[in-house]
Amino acid sequence: MVMDLLIPFTMAGFGKYLIKNPPKEINQIFGYRTSMSTKNKDT
């Protein structure tokens, strides 16, 4: 049961962290990862 609850709590924890501390720049880990969207901030 502990392992079944570990994943949802981990996802909620990462969600709260990313809401409070969003990434400053476009990167390949968070957000849209298409080649067109990572070319520059305008696209």
Side-chain angles (χ1 to χ4, degrees), residues 5-28:
L5 294 175
L6 184 65
I7 292 174
F9 285 127
T10 303
M11 291 175 66
F14 276 120
K16 285 186 178 186
Y17 174 77
L18 288 174
I19 287 173
K20 291 183 180 180
N21 302 315
K24 304 286 187 245
E25 296 180 11
I26 298 172
N27 59 32
Q28 292 293 324

